[in-house]
Amino acid sequence: SVFFQNRFLLRDWTITPGVRVEHIKFQRTNRLANGGAGVTGRTELTEVVPGIGISYHPTSRFTVFAGVHRGFAPPRTEDIINNTTGGSVDLDSELSWNYEVGMRSLPAKGFQLDATLFRMDYENQIVPASLAGGVGSAFTNGGETLHQGVEVTGRVDSGAIFSSPHNLYLRTALTYLPIAKFTGTRFSNVSGFSNVSISGNRLPYAPEQLLNFSLGYSHPKGVNTFLEGIYVGRQFGDDL
């Protein structure tokens, strides 16, 4: 992996373009295949990943930011190389264009509030037809998908408010994902349902709400203890 990035500072503006190039070689050997003779498979891929971020910070307590970045994730070795024949599986890299607009703020002493609108537009997303095992549990090319939503995070620190080393804090993060769907012409990857259209269906394992909530106590001498709760909303278990 090789990357280049530069940060341009123009008064209250920061512009950060960059590009990354990744070259990956895969190899997998199954020594038990072919009656113990074994089988080895190899493949490789190269991807160019550009991006740019812009931020505007008129004060030390408020920043607005936006960004456009290429998303890339390679397949796992066990998914792209067949364990029996050693041949390459028709499984492409995950590729997307990711967009975000948001703000980071310190509205008052001891208070922090951030919010981000995001959109992830996949040319190809690797998705499971089902993770329940058995029929349809393999990873497949999900093709074009779209994720769009908002994330809001907040934190309150009593130590900063009252200038005390004893800090009781509350933090929360909410992700709301109303759109997570197949956008291309797609048919189910579940065995026996390959003629069923799933175009427009919500993606499996993409809950609409995620909530993280923590209540804790910290001290500069090294104590940090907290109680955390996580809520994951309802989700579909397969592409049907």
Side-chain angles (χ1 to χ4, degrees):
S1 179
V2 179
F3 76 92
F4 171 80
Q5 180 176 285
N6 192 67
R7 180 172 296 171
F8 298 94
L9 303 176
L10 306 171
R11 298 196 178 202
D12 296 333
W13 294 85
T14 302
I15 303 173
T16 311
V19 63
R20 189 173 84 250
V21 179
E22 295 204 16
H23 179 70
I24 303 172
K25 292 184 177 181
F26 301 85
Q27 177 177 315
R28 186 183 191 189
T29 299
N30 180 0
R31 300 187 186 281
L32 301 180
N34 295 333
V39 63
T40 297
R42 298 179 180 85
T43 188
E44 61 185 67
L45 63 85
T46 302
E47 197 67 44
V48 179
V49 189
I52 185 170
I54 301 174
S55 64
Y56 173 63
H57 36 90
T59 73
S60 61
R61 307 183 68 87
F62 184 75
T63 300
V64 179
F65 62 89
V68 179
H69 295 87
R70 182 67 158 164
F72 162 69
R76 300 182 305 176
T77 305
E78 59 266 37
D79 295 326
I80 198 173
I81 299 178
N82 187 282
N83 192 40
T84 303
T85 66
S88 296
V89 179
D90 183 18
L91 191 63
D92 299 324
S93 300
E94 279 194 336
L95 294 173
S96 65
W97 283 104
N98 306 322
Y99 311 87
E100 64 175 359
V101 177
M103 67 90 180
R104 291 183 290 267
S105 66
L106 301 171
K109 189 177 181 179
F111 289 84
Q112 179 179 331
L113 179 63
D114 302 347
T116 307
L117 294 170
F118 62 87
R119 177 185 175 97
M120 299 182 292
D121 194 354
Y122 281 86
E123 297 170 28
N124 182 57
Q125 184 180 11
I126 298 174
V127 298
S130 169
L131 282 182
V135 176
S137 61
F139 284 82
T140 60
N141 289 320
E144 296 179 9
T145 65
L146 178 65
H147 304 245
Q148 190 166 286
V150 60
E151 184 169 78
V152 179
T153 64
R155 177 167 176 143
V156 180
D157 291 273
S158 67
I161 296 174
F162 300 107
S163 300
S164 169
H166 300 281
N167 181 39
L168 185 66
Y169 63 86
L170 175 68
R171 63 186 180 193
T172 185
L174 171 65
T175 301
Y176 176 53
L177 186 66
I179 300 174
K181 63 182 180 179
F182 294 97
T183 57
T185 301
R186 301 297 301 172
F187 294 90
S188 178
N189 287 303
V190 177
S191 179
F193 296 88
S194 59
N195 63 338
V196 177
S197 173
I198 59 171
S199 299
N201 280 12
R202 189 169 183 91
L203 294 166
Y205 306 99
E208 192 169 302
Q209 301 97 10
L210 292 170
L211 177 64
N212 184 298
F213 178 88
S214 298
L215 177 65
Y217 167 81
S218 64
H219 192 279
K221 290 189 176 181
V223 176
N224 187 4
T225 180
F226 61 90
L227 178 67
E228 182 178 58
I230 298 174
Y231 170 77
V232 179
R234 294 188 301 171
Q235 54 197 298
F236 291 104
D238 57 50
D239 62 15
L240 292 172

